[in-house]
């Protein structure tokens, strides 16, 4: 039986041979894991081919990264696996603020909530998604809390009566620490008596 590392390389080579360098723009290998960078508009096509032709029958994760200061700013990352062999392959696509990524929820139903969460917390929309609503924040909330430029204490909103609309103070919170007030052992949140 071939090793999972050789299976991953074979799968990555197959994708590259099938789609070429116009679609698969980069290949990164680290500690036995392979990540392919896919052109944004071709993501759904590549994911469908991996499911139908390469045996990647499960979407394990779909998330995003904010690379504030870079262009394009965001990356959407997909982790696919072959359930029988346990082989994983990661795909990522780069997207700028205001651009949309094709939805893969029609290929893997589990992507539905993952894509909604990425939209809700990072502001990346997925074209063709059947229900692109916020999942954690309320409709009408104007910010995206996982972006790097979003302050830890939050921001006030213009939607009074719907939800908490003032910035949350961090002073005295169970996980807030104060620098220099005492040695680090007494600043550690678990040392607080509540």
């Amino acid at each position: 039986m071939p090793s999972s590392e050789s299976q991953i390389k074979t799968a990555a080579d197959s994708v590259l041979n099938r789609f070429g360098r116009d679609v698969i723009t980069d290949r990164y290998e680290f500690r036995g894991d392979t990540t392919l960078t896919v052109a944004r508009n071709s993501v759904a096509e590549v994911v469908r081919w991996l499911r139908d032709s390469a045996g990647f029958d499960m979407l394990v994760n779909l998330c995003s990264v904010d690379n504030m200061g870079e262009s394009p700013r965001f990356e959407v990352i997909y982790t696919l696996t072959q359930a029988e062999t346990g082989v994983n392959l990661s795909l990522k696509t780069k997207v700028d603020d205001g651009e949309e990524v094709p939805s893969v929820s029609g290929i893997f139903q589990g992507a539905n909530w993952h894509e909604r969460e990425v939209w809700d917390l990072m502001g990346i929309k997925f074209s063709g998604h059947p229900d692109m609503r916020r999942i954690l924040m309320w409709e009408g909330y104007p910010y995206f809390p996982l972006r790097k430029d979003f302050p830890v204490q939050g921001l006030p909103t213009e939607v009074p009566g719907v939800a908490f609309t003032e910035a949350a103070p961090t002073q005295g919170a169970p996980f807030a620490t104060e620098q220099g007030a005492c040695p680090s052992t007494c600043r550690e949140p678990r040392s607080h008596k509540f």
Side-chain angles (χ1 to χ4, degrees), residues 166-185:
E166 297 176 14
T170 56
Q171 196 73 3
F175 299 106
T177 65
E178 297 174 15
Q179 294 181 351
C182 61
S184 62
T185 54

Side-chain angles (χ1 to χ4, degrees), residues 17-33:
N17 291 336
R18 167 67 174 88
F19 292 97
R21 288 278 176 201
D22 291 340
V23 173
I24 308 300
T25 60
D26 194 20
R27 177 179 179 162
Y28 177 74
E29 295 185 21
F30 180 72
R31 295 187 179 177
D33 292 330

Side-chain angles (χ1 to χ4, degrees), residues 95-141:
V95 57
D96 229 335
D97 207 2
E99 293 180 332
E100 294 187 6
V101 178
S103 175
V104 298
S105 62
I107 303 165
F108 290 108
Q109 288 183 346
N112 186 316
W113 284 52
H114 289 286
E115 290 176 352
R116 284 179 60 193
E117 183 180 41
V118 169
W119 154 241
D120 188 15
L121 300 177
M122 290 290 250
I124 301 168
K125 279 196 171 181
F126 293 84
S127 60
H129 190 281
D131 187 19
M132 188 68 6
R133 288 180 295 141
R134 295 193 93 139
I135 197 167
L136 297 170
M137 306 307 291
W138 60 94
E139 290 300 325
Y141 187 69

Side-chain angles (χ1 to χ4, degrees), residues 144-157:
F144 304 104
L146 284 185
R147 288 186 176 193
K148 287 185 179 176
D149 53 0
F150 188 83
V152 172
Q153 65 271 28
L155 292 167
T157 66

